[in-house]
Every structure is written in structure tokens, then in C-alpha cells.
Amino acid sequence: MTQRKILITSALPYANGPIHLGHLLEYIQTDIWSRFQKARGHQCYYVCADDAHGTPIMLKAQQLGLTPEQMIAQTSVEHQADFKDFLIGFDNYHSTHSDENRAFASEIYQKLDDGGYIKRKTISQLFDPEKQMFLPDRFVKGDCPKCGAVDQNGDSCDACGATYSPTELKNPRSVVSGATPVLKDSEHYFFDLPAFEQMLQDWTRGGSLQSEMANKLQEWFKEGLQQWDISRDAPYFGFEIPGAPGKFFYVWLDAPIGYLASFKNLCDKTGINFDDFWKLDSDAEVYHFIGKDIIYFHSLFWPAMLDGAGYRKPSSVFAHGFVTVNGAKMSKSRGTFIKARTYLDNLNPEYLRYYFASKLTSGIVDLDLNLDDFSQKVNADLVGKVVNIASRCASFISKKFDSALSADIAEPELLADFVAQGESIAAAFEQREYARAIRDIMALADKANQYIDAKAPWVLAKDESKQLETHQVCSMGINLFRVLMHYLKPVLPAMAAEVEAFLNIELRWDNYQTALRSHKINTFKPLMQRVDPVKVQAMVDASKENLQAAEPAKTTSKTAVKADAAVTTADAAAFEPLAPMIQFDDFAKLDLRVARIVSAEHVEGADKLVKLQLDLGFESRQVFAGIKSAYDPADLVGRLTVMVANLAPRKMRFGMSEGMVMAAGPGGSDIFLLTPDDGATPGMQVK
């Protein structure tokens, strides 16, 4: 087999939050492919980095009272710990906020500018007059200019699907401060993407992309490629553009350049020749694994930047779908928005690696993590089939035959059948058809178990005249198990390491054909426990608890909602009769949270409603409250109130209401918002 030179990357996780199961689909998919290529004997490197620039990083660091550098350093430690514990075998993990990335970004920009591919023009943008900063699309909200839906993002409408410029929004507001933004002019730098249209047409149709990707990109070509704004104004956390004070590279310019930077960092540490992989005439292979949401950046902007700067383009870009849990989008309230660390606190990482592998294909389809199916599949396949083969045979080898396998292979045709499947399984891994590979491996596991069931070594062992047959049957079972673990090693590296210790061999792709004869093995130890449904539920419950504020222990009387104990007879007459009595368990279902009122607006056409934007600390909610008769909306901004946070969203004529604020009073102008005492913070539970 000819040795290939392969460089593999995964998309860079953003450095403003933790890794979750949605992220892990990609890193597990990539890691399996990387481990497979290395097992085949190729010169293969897998690199990644934190994506550490941009406005969200800057703003979150401010909220935490940290510098951006402190925050991204802390996040990098957390990300790398999660990846390590999920057995993601990076050869190098770096950061886009690095000397290498600064150098490459400046070099590529300068080459593009020298080639005439950087254009300068003045544009009008929304500007936050309070924070004195230009607002990225996602930091502006308002009413959709197409359908009128309220509280939509600055670039697209969730209600009707329209896309637009943030300057087209009706009633825009800054997500950062709540202020009404103003238009302000600024000179920006644009990458001339249309200049690369023919090259991109050829490249996207040349086999480097999945057919679904190539077809999707045709929509952009039909609409006409547009010049791409690659600059942002100060304040901004990133690299300043050379020769342009106060102008910074847009995060999406230097993020993919982070692939080069991380690999260069590895090259400098190990002596690998960087040019062998990235020069124009390189015979190396470069592969990017990404999510379907960032296809455009990796399949249009990135290859055009590389082409314009004199670097080779990727061999292929492989996109995958999203993760759903139990058939629905990952949800914090349902406990299915599961952080990597929450999973690791409860379950074996190889359960998830196997489950994802059993579902992954080369297509761009969403993958559903059904938690019941997850448990059943792991228990049935790994514990009930694969591990079961070794556990049923190993004890006889150790106790009766001095831990040595027999010199003979009892069923050479059966073993030959297992070995013969190797190349087709390898082809499935190579083509990223992991689900097919797993199906074929499990079909072999079924055959092995059928063989052991038919021979029943536990019966043979009781007959002294059949000890030779017992030895041969159990040795045959161990050899079949060994072949299966060769095939599963890229998926289950930790279990494979335990198997290697048990069998006294290294599981390599160049020795799976060789049977173990008269070979000493070690004492068998349990390789995998069954998935415990109690721990699965504990993971879900812990994910729900992650919604709580960082300091739930401080929910003392200071944060409790107070009410006057005494009510006069005259006051009582103004109140409605009591509703039917409820039980404590009904009341306990309420999740009361402190919320900051970020904005408050009159609702046109509604006599009583005020539209509130509430900050819960961990997310923002829109609520329509019938308090207009008692409060001027302008007086509400900045106040803390209490809301029912787990009330199901309700579609109203004026928009979606995502909760309920708590108020008391007989009505009219006598309505009083419940307000927590000083010391409360948004997101804190009220008990």
C-alpha cells in the first residue's frame, strides 16, 4: 500500500462557550477517520484550534470581568479537557489568537491586496450610540421588514425565512445595550469573491464536495457572487489589519487560516515540512470536516482566499448534519442540550462514539440521538455481542489451559470469512460510511456468537474427553473477537487498548489477518458495562439544572418575593374569588427566575400589552405583559422583575410570548410588578 500524506481538520469551536453533544458529532466523526488513516499506516495529522476572535468574545469577557485573552485561555483549557476525555486524538490543538495565525492572516491579506482582490468602499452600518460600537448583524434585533414578525435577528427572520440587511429592520434595537441604533458611515475592506467565480465553479463541481453541497452552492452562483466584507471597526477583539489603524480582520477571515496556523505550530515543534502539505504542487491530501451551516465559508470564501494567496486548495470538504435528541432540536428546558462535561460526569464516552458511528454516513443528514435507542444499541451490540464473545471464552482459556490459546484454528473457513471482510470494512471507513462498517462488523459478531452458542464450550468443559475441543472452540472465539476489535479500534480506542493488554498484542491494520496460535493471553477483565438508565436520566436532570444561575445557594430570604401579610377588608373586596385549590406538587413545577428588563415597548393596536425583552442571564426572552395601564414602558428598562420561566411559549396576535412576568393588584393603574431585592442577578431562581 502506498503511504499517503494526509492533513485533517475539524471546524474550530468558538471560544465563548462549552463543548456540547452537537459539537461532538463532528469531532468524533473526524477522529474516527484520522485514527483509521493512521492505523492503515499513512502519514496523517489531525489539527484543530479554538476560534478566539470576534465581538461575542469581547462582550462576554466584559460580562465576566475578564480580558478576552484571559477568557479564551480559560476556555481553551476546558475545551481541550473535554476533547481529551472523549478520546479525540488531535496531533495539535492551538488558537486563532496566536503568532502563527497573525502572520498567516497578514500574509494572505497582503497577497490578496497586491493581487487587486481587496476593494475599499464606504458603507452605512447600525451603530450603538451608548456602547459606541458598530453592531454585527446578530447584535441587532427588530421587526422583520418582510412579514412584520417581532424580535427577529438582524440578518434573517425565523418566522418567514427572509434574509435582509440589518438596516432594513423595523424598530431596531441593540442587543448589547437596548438602545436604538443609528446609521453611521465607515470605510470597509472587501474581498473580491466574484473574481474567482470560474475557478470556484470548476472546483465545486470537480469532486471535492459532496453532491448535496455542490448543488446547494449553485444557488449562490445563480444569484451572483458578492464581494465579502472582511473588516470590522474598533472596538473588536482580533487582529488589526496591516496599514489600517482601527480596522480589524473579520473573525471569518482568520478562522479558517487557523488550520494553517495550527499545522505550522505542529510543524515547528516536530520538524514536519509545512510546504509539503500547503504548496501549490503538493501531493498531500487536505480534508476539512465541517457542519452544514458553514458550507459557504469553507467552499467559496476559503478556497478563493487560498487560490488568490498562492496556496493549494483542500482536497475535499466533508459536511455533516446537526444532532437532534429524541427527535427534536436540542433543548435546555427538556435537559437535552447536553454539555460534553455533563455527559462525561455520567456516562462512558465510548458509548457515544459508538452510537454516532453506527448512525453516520457520508451524506448531509441530521443525526438523532434517541436516548432509549442509544442505551439499547450499546447494550445489545457492544456488551451483548462483542464483549460477550471474549467473556464467554476467556475464563476457560485462563483456568483450564494456562492462559494459552490452542495451536490449531478449529474453523479456518470461518476465520477466513472474518478476515476477508477487512477490505470492504476499510472501504466503508475510507468513504465515511461508518454506519455500513458498523453493520458489517455486527453481522460478524452475530456469526461469532452463533458459533459459540452452537459449540457450547461451557458444556464441553464438563466432559474430560472433550478438553481439546473446548480449547479449540474458546481459542477460535478469542481469534474472532480479536478481528472484530481490529475493525472497531478507530471507534473504540480506549476499549481497544484494554483488549491489547488482554491479548498481549497491538491491534494494527497490517496484522489482523494473522491468527493467534499457542499465544499467551492475560486475565480477562470486564471491558464495558451496560448503559445504566439511571445514569442517562441523571445526565438529563443535570442538564436541566445547568439552567440555574451560577450561585443557586444564595437563594435565601433576600431573593424571595415578599408580599404584605395584612390585607384590609376594603382591599379584599377588590380581589377576584380564589381559583380552585392546587397541590404543592403543582406549585413546585413553577420555575421562577429573576429577569432584567432590557427593553419595553408599546404594542400597536393593544390597549393593555407592553412588549418586554427580558434578560435571564443565560438567554433572552420576549414576553407580552398586560401592565400598560400601570407602567410607562420607558420607566421599566433596567428594572429587575420575576418571571415564570418554564411557561410554554404562546403565539399571540402580536408575536410569540415566551413566559410571564409576575404582578399583583386589583387591576387598572394598581398593578405592581414583583421586584426582587438588591443583590439578585438575572437567571437566579426565586424560592
Side-chain angles (χ1 to χ4, degrees), residues 639-659:
R639 291 183 58 171
L640 294 177
T641 187
V642 177
M643 74 172 293
V644 182
N646 63 337
L647 183 66
R650 179 186 175 194
K651 180 69 175 177
M652 304 179 69
R653 181 160 60 94
F654 307 99
M656 187 70 72
S657 188
E658 301 171 303

mmCIF file of all heavy atoms in Angstrom, residues 639-659:
data_model
loop_
_atom_site.group_PDB
_atom_site.id
_atom_site.type_symbol
_atom_site.label_atom_id
_atom_site.label_comp_id
_atom_site.label_asym_id
_atom_site.label_seq_id
_atom_site.Cartn_x
_atom_site.Cartn_y
_atom_site.Cartn_z
ATOM 1 N N ARG A 639 -34.997 47.580 35.089
ATOM 2 C CA ARG A 639 -35.507 47.038 36.347
ATOM 3 C C ARG A 639 -35.389 45.522 36.381
ATOM 4 O O ARG A 639 -35.426 44.847 35.354
ATOM 5 C CB ARG A 639 -36.971 47.436 36.533
ATOM 6 C CG ARG A 639 -37.174 48.919 36.799
ATOM 7 C CD ARG A 639 -38.639 49.238 37.060
ATOM 8 N NE ARG A 639 -39.189 48.482 38.187
ATOM 9 C CZ ARG A 639 -40.391 48.712 38.707
ATOM 10 N NH1 ARG A 639 -41.160 49.660 38.208
ATOM 11 N NH2 ARG A 639 -40.823 47.978 39.716
ATOM 12 N N LEU A 640 -35.284 44.991 37.580
ATOM 13 C CA LEU A 640 -35.345 43.546 37.781
ATOM 14 C C LEU A 640 -36.770 43.166 38.143
ATOM 15 O O LEU A 640 -37.439 43.857 38.925
ATOM 16 C CB LEU A 640 -34.398 43.111 38.900
ATOM 17 C CG LEU A 640 -32.899 43.281 38.654
ATOM 18 C CD1 LEU A 640 -32.114 42.873 39.893
ATOM 19 C CD2 LEU A 640 -32.445 42.470 37.463
ATOM 20 N N THR A 641 -37.227 42.067 37.580
ATOM 21 C CA THR A 641 -38.550 41.563 37.915
ATOM 22 C C THR A 641 -38.472 40.056 38.055
ATOM 23 O O THR A 641 -37.400 39.458 37.948
ATOM 24 C CB THR A 641 -39.587 41.976 36.847
ATOM 25 O OG1 THR A 641 -40.886 41.595 37.298
ATOM 26 C CG2 THR A 641 -39.299 41.319 35.508
ATOM 27 N N VAL A 642 -39.613 39.429 38.314
ATOM 28 C CA VAL A 642 -39.679 37.981 38.457
ATOM 29 C C VAL A 642 -40.569 37.440 37.357
ATOM 30 O O VAL A 642 -41.630 38.009 37.066
ATOM 31 C CB VAL A 642 -40.243 37.587 39.839
ATOM 32 C CG1 VAL A 642 -40.374 36.070 39.951
ATOM 33 C CG2 VAL A 642 -39.344 38.118 40.947
ATOM 34 N N MET A 643 -40.143 36.342 36.735
ATOM 35 C CA MET A 643 -40.939 35.758 35.660
ATOM 36 C C MET A 643 -41.094 34.260 35.861
ATOM 37 O O MET A 643 -40.263 33.612 36.515
ATOM 38 C CB MET A 643 -40.314 36.038 34.291
ATOM 39 C CG MET A 643 -39.071 35.230 33.969
ATOM 40 S SD MET A 643 -38.506 35.443 32.269
ATOM 41 C CE MET A 643 -39.842 34.688 31.342
ATOM 42 N N VAL A 644 -42.184 33.721 35.307
ATOM 43 C CA VAL A 644 -42.342 32.265 35.223
ATOM 44 C C VAL A 644 -41.579 31.826 33.980
ATOM 45 O O VAL A 644 -41.993 32.093 32.854
ATOM 46 C CB VAL A 644 -43.826 31.869 35.112
ATOM 47 C CG1 VAL A 644 -43.961 30.349 35.072
ATOM 48 C CG2 VAL A 644 -44.619 32.441 36.272
ATOM 49 N N ALA A 645 -40.431 31.180 34.193
ATOM 50 C CA ALA A 645 -39.521 30.892 33.078
ATOM 51 C C ALA A 645 -39.859 29.611 32.337
ATOM 52 O O ALA A 645 -39.374 29.393 31.232
ATOM 53 C CB ALA A 645 -38.078 30.838 33.584
ATOM 54 N N ASN A 646 -40.654 28.743 32.945
ATOM 55 C CA ASN A 646 -40.944 27.461 32.289
ATOM 56 C C ASN A 646 -42.380 27.381 31.775
ATOM 57 O O ASN A 646 -42.937 26.300 31.615
ATOM 58 C CB ASN A 646 -40.641 26.286 33.216
ATOM 59 C CG ASN A 646 -41.499 26.277 34.473
ATOM 60 O OD1 ASN A 646 -42.005 27.317 34.885
ATOM 61 N ND2 ASN A 646 -41.657 25.113 35.085
ATOM 62 N N LEU A 647 -42.990 28.550 31.536
ATOM 63 C CA LEU A 647 -44.305 28.584 30.907
ATOM 64 C C LEU A 647 -44.138 28.373 29.410
ATOM 65 O O LEU A 647 -43.303 29.027 28.774
ATOM 66 C CB LEU A 647 -44.985 29.927 31.180
ATOM 67 C CG LEU A 647 -46.411 30.094 30.653
ATOM 68 C CD1 LEU A 647 -47.365 29.149 31.369
ATOM 69 C CD2 LEU A 647 -46.872 31.546 30.816
ATOM 70 N N ALA A 648 -44.890 27.462 28.834
ATOM 71 C CA ALA A 648 -44.762 27.166 27.404
ATOM 72 C C ALA A 648 -45.023 28.427 26.580
ATOM 73 O O ALA A 648 -45.927 29.209 26.901
ATOM 74 C CB ALA A 648 -45.743 26.068 26.999
ATOM 75 N N PRO A 649 -44.241 28.667 25.518
ATOM 76 C CA PRO A 649 -44.463 29.836 24.661
ATOM 77 C C PRO A 649 -45.885 29.834 24.100
ATOM 78 O O PRO A 649 -46.465 28.782 23.817
ATOM 79 C CB PRO A 649 -43.423 29.662 23.549
ATOM 80 C CG PRO A 649 -42.375 28.788 24.138
ATOM 81 C CD PRO A 649 -43.095 27.868 25.064
ATOM 82 N N ARG A 650 -46.421 31.041 23.923
ATOM 83 C CA ARG A 650 -47.782 31.182 23.407
ATOM 84 C C ARG A 650 -47.766 32.141 22.234
ATOM 85 O O ARG A 650 -47.246 33.255 22.328
ATOM 86 C CB ARG A 650 -48.702 31.709 24.506
ATOM 87 C CG ARG A 650 -50.143 31.914 24.049
ATOM 88 C CD ARG A 650 -50.951 32.587 25.154
ATOM 89 N NE ARG A 650 -52.300 32.902 24.730
ATOM 90 C CZ ARG A 650 -53.123 33.715 25.371
ATOM 91 N NH1 ARG A 650 -52.721 34.291 26.496
ATOM 92 N NH2 ARG A 650 -54.331 33.953 24.911
ATOM 93 N N LYS A 651 -48.343 31.691 21.121
ATOM 94 C CA LYS A 651 -48.431 32.526 19.929
ATOM 95 C C LYS A 651 -49.584 33.504 20.092
ATOM 96 O O LYS A 651 -50.742 33.110 20.241
ATOM 97 C CB LYS A 651 -48.645 31.644 18.683
ATOM 98 C CG LYS A 651 -48.748 32.421 17.388
ATOM 99 C CD LYS A 651 -47.427 33.057 16.996
ATOM 100 C CE LYS A 651 -47.521 33.719 15.627
ATOM 101 N NZ LYS A 651 -46.271 34.399 15.249
ATOM 102 N N MET A 652 -49.262 34.804 20.087
ATOM 103 C CA MET A 652 -50.281 35.833 20.199
ATOM 104 C C MET A 652 -50.391 36.585 18.876
ATOM 105 O O MET A 652 -49.548 36.438 17.986
ATOM 106 C CB MET A 652 -49.929 36.800 21.340
ATOM 107 C CG MET A 652 -49.739 36.106 22.699
ATOM 108 S SD MET A 652 -49.295 37.239 24.024
ATOM 109 C CE MET A 652 -50.813 38.175 24.208
ATOM 110 N N ARG A 653 -51.417 37.409 18.767
ATOM 111 C CA ARG A 653 -51.615 38.156 17.520
ATOM 112 C C ARG A 653 -50.438 39.079 17.236
ATOM 113 O O ARG A 653 -50.113 39.362 16.090
ATOM 114 C CB ARG A 653 -52.910 38.978 17.625
ATOM 115 C CG ARG A 653 -53.260 39.781 16.381
ATOM 116 C CD ARG A 653 -54.734 40.137 16.395
ATOM 117 N NE ARG A 653 -55.095 40.942 17.557
ATOM 118 C CZ ARG A 653 -55.135 42.279 17.545
ATOM 119 N NH1 ARG A 653 -54.828 42.942 16.448
ATOM 120 N NH2 ARG A 653 -55.506 42.935 18.628
ATOM 121 N N PHE A 654 -49.752 39.512 18.310
ATOM 122 C CA PHE A 654 -48.672 40.478 18.149
ATOM 123 C C PHE A 654 -47.291 39.821 18.123
ATOM 124 O O PHE A 654 -46.289 40.497 17.963
ATOM 125 C CB PHE A 654 -48.735 41.493 19.295
ATOM 126 C CG PHE A 654 -50.087 42.133 19.437
ATOM 127 C CD1 PHE A 654 -50.979 41.673 20.399
ATOM 128 C CD2 PHE A 654 -50.470 43.158 18.600
ATOM 129 C CE1 PHE A 654 -52.229 42.257 20.531
ATOM 130 C CE2 PHE A 654 -51.720 43.745 18.721
ATOM 131 C CZ PHE A 654 -52.614 43.285 19.691
ATOM 132 N N GLY A 655 -47.239 38.511 18.299
ATOM 133 C CA GLY A 655 -45.956 37.815 18.304
ATOM 134 C C GLY A 655 -45.947 36.700 19.342
ATOM 135 O O GLY A 655 -46.961 36.406 19.987
ATOM 136 N N MET A 656 -44.795 36.086 19.536
ATOM 137 C CA MET A 656 -44.653 34.975 20.466
ATOM 138 C C MET A 656 -44.302 35.493 21.861
ATOM 139 O O MET A 656 -43.376 36.288 22.023
ATOM 140 C CB MET A 656 -43.556 34.026 19.984
ATOM 141 C CG MET A 656 -43.450 32.744 20.788
ATOM 142 S SD MET A 656 -44.854 31.640 20.522
ATOM 143 C CE MET A 656 -44.510 31.076 18.848
ATOM 144 N N SER A 657 -45.061 35.045 22.873
ATOM 145 C CA SER A 657 -44.757 35.390 24.254
ATOM 146 C C SER A 657 -44.115 34.175 24.914
ATOM 147 O O SER A 657 -44.676 33.079 24.906
ATOM 148 C CB SER A 657 -46.031 35.794 25.007
ATOM 149 O OG SER A 657 -45.708 36.299 26.293
ATOM 150 N N GLU A 658 -42.909 34.354 25.497
ATOM 151 C CA GLU A 658 -42.087 33.236 25.954
ATOM 152 C C GLU A 658 -41.961 33.181 27.471
ATOM 153 O O GLU A 658 -40.898 32.892 28.007
ATOM 154 C CB GLU A 658 -40.694 33.335 25.317
ATOM 155 C CG GLU A 658 -40.731 33.323 23.793
ATOM 156 C CD GLU A 658 -39.386 33.637 23.177
ATOM 157 O OE1 GLU A 658 -38.830 34.720 23.474
ATOM 158 O OE2 GLU A 658 -38.888 32.794 22.418
ATOM 159 N N GLY A 659 -43.067 33.425 28.160
ATOM 160 C CA GLY A 659 -43.034 33.377 29.615
ATOM 161 C C GLY A 659 -44.087 34.310 30.178
ATOM 162 O O GLY A 659 -44.991 34.774 29.467
#
